[in-house]
Amino acid sequence: MVTLYPNSYRVAVIGASGNVGSNTLSMLAEKDFPISKIYAVASDRSSGNDINFGNRGILKITGISDFNFKDVDLAFFCAGSEVSKQYVEKAVQNNVTVIDKTSHFRYHPKVPLIVPEVNENILLNGAELGIVSNPNCIVIPLSMTLKALDNVSKIKRVIVSTYQAVSGAGKLANDELKNQIRAIQNNEPFVPKVFAKQIAYNVIPSIDTPRIGGITGEEEKIANEILKIVGKHVKIFITCVRVPVLVGHSMSVIVETENEISPSDAYDVFASFPGIVVKDNLSNNDYATPIDAADQDVVFVSRIRRDVSAKNSIGYWVTADNLRKGASLNGVMIAKSMIKIDPTLSIFKNKN
């Protein structure tokens, strides 16, 4: 029996059977989001299957081609850009407010791209198209740390190297890592399918498709989203790497600012920023790893130190749960910000 709440919102999670969708359902339940009706929607081949709604019960999945968006107030799109491209317009034309977790609308000038701790104030202007976009799972924790520093001294340049878990590529990627480890241990042959190269006991310095200039699609997305969220004054260079970790994206960050920010000042700046926890005592092995970040709501910052190779530059380490903080939690936080601003969601409905 699913526990629901009267006088609240009819909610749909599109792509409910995938990593991000199932985690969004769990997060909605865990954070006690005010729901009067909940729909789990996925591909037609998943129709009729059971899926957990956290601790609030079991849902039957509805195939997307049979789903009636007129029954919904708020929809989380978690099924990939092609699904968003095909169905978001149908949703907003039926007066549904959409929180889209794919990259499809992130660069649209009329679609807010939101990390609540960073730019919640943008939501005061509503959403002209009825769509609010959830950023890339690296951008969410990265933008929080950059905004914390930018509030103190304007950022001039950022260099980032990411260490991204396989779950960022979906459930099949998780399975591929586990299966490759098993095959190697049993001395069995295998052929990579999800990734271009072996991921078990390896790292792959390429995520997404190649772009002009030798960068990848993931690197291009992250850079563009940081500019939209933190500010166009930020110059950023990024290298994205896939690592054999199931959950938890990490990154090494170097930031050059207009004025000096000492490591001790940076420690205080990060520690006082909402959603960031500092673990930084190297001599006591007090630093965060992806395992430490798993199932946590916060972004961890460690290894804060001066970059002696450049003026007014510091380096630090970041890690966060990419499925939780990097996707599902941020989306639910966006929804809570929206209903705090306008409980009717009227300013977040399509005006066209």
Side-chain angles (χ1 to χ4, degrees), residues 44-200:
D44 292 340
R45 66 179 178 273
S46 298
S47 182
N49 292 346
D50 290 340
I51 192 168
N52 286 323
F53 180 37
N55 59 0
R56 288 168 66 172
I58 304 293
L59 303 173
K60 288 286 185 184
I61 293 177
T62 302
I64 191 165
S65 63
D66 296 327
F67 187 65
N68 188 352
F69 283 101
K70 292 181 179 179
D71 297 331
V72 176
D73 302 307
L74 178 66
F76 294 84
F77 272 75
C78 313
S81 294
E82 286 304 311
V83 173
S84 291
K85 181 179 179 180
Q86 185 174 356
Y87 288 98
V88 164
E89 184 175 356
K90 181 178 180 181
V92 298
Q93 292 301 328
N94 280 282
N95 211 36
V96 178
T97 297
V98 168
I99 296 176
D100 185 51
K101 293 175 177 287
T102 78
S103 62
H104 187 66
F105 294 99
R106 287 175 185 162
Y107 316 123
H108 195 296
K110 294 183 178 180
V111 175
L113 183 63
I114 300 296
V115 179
E117 297 95 336
V118 176
N119 62 345
E120 181 186 53
N121 62 302
I122 299 295
L123 293 174
L124 294 170
N125 299 320
E128 180 180 342
L129 302 184
I131 307 164
V132 176
S133 197
N134 189 87
N136 177 285
C137 48
I138 280 285
V139 169
I140 292 166
L142 178 59
S143 68
M144 290 169 61
T145 67
L146 295 181
K147 182 62 175 177
L149 295 174
D150 196 62
N151 285 342
V152 177
S153 179
K154 284 294 181 185
I155 291 173
K156 296 175 64 177
R157 185 176 185 228
V158 181
I159 300 173
V160 185
S161 296
T162 73
Y163 305 80
Q164 294 176 231
V166 293
S167 55
K171 282 185 174 180
L172 292 178
N174 278 30
D175 293 340
E176 179 150 295
L177 173 57
K178 293 175 184 177
N179 291 337
Q180 285 184 6
I181 291 173
R182 189 178 302 113
I184 291 169
Q185 290 174 341
N186 294 325
N187 199 29
E188 298 172 351
F190 61 86
V191 177
K193 296 179 180 179
V194 177
F195 300 112
K197 295 180 179 288
Q198 174 185 321
I199 185 59

Side-chain angles (χ1 to χ4, degrees), residues 299-335:
V299 172
F300 290 97
V301 174
S302 307
R303 302 292 320 278
I304 305 167
R305 58 206 187 276
R306 191 182 305 277
D307 169 20
V308 297
S309 70
K311 184 180 179 181
N312 300 339
S313 185
I314 62 168
Y316 56 93
W317 170 261
V318 181
T319 190
D321 185 324
N322 57 297
L323 298 179
R324 189 176 177 92
K325 182 58 183 171
S328 59
L329 177 61
N330 195 77
V332 173
M333 287 176 66
I334 290 172

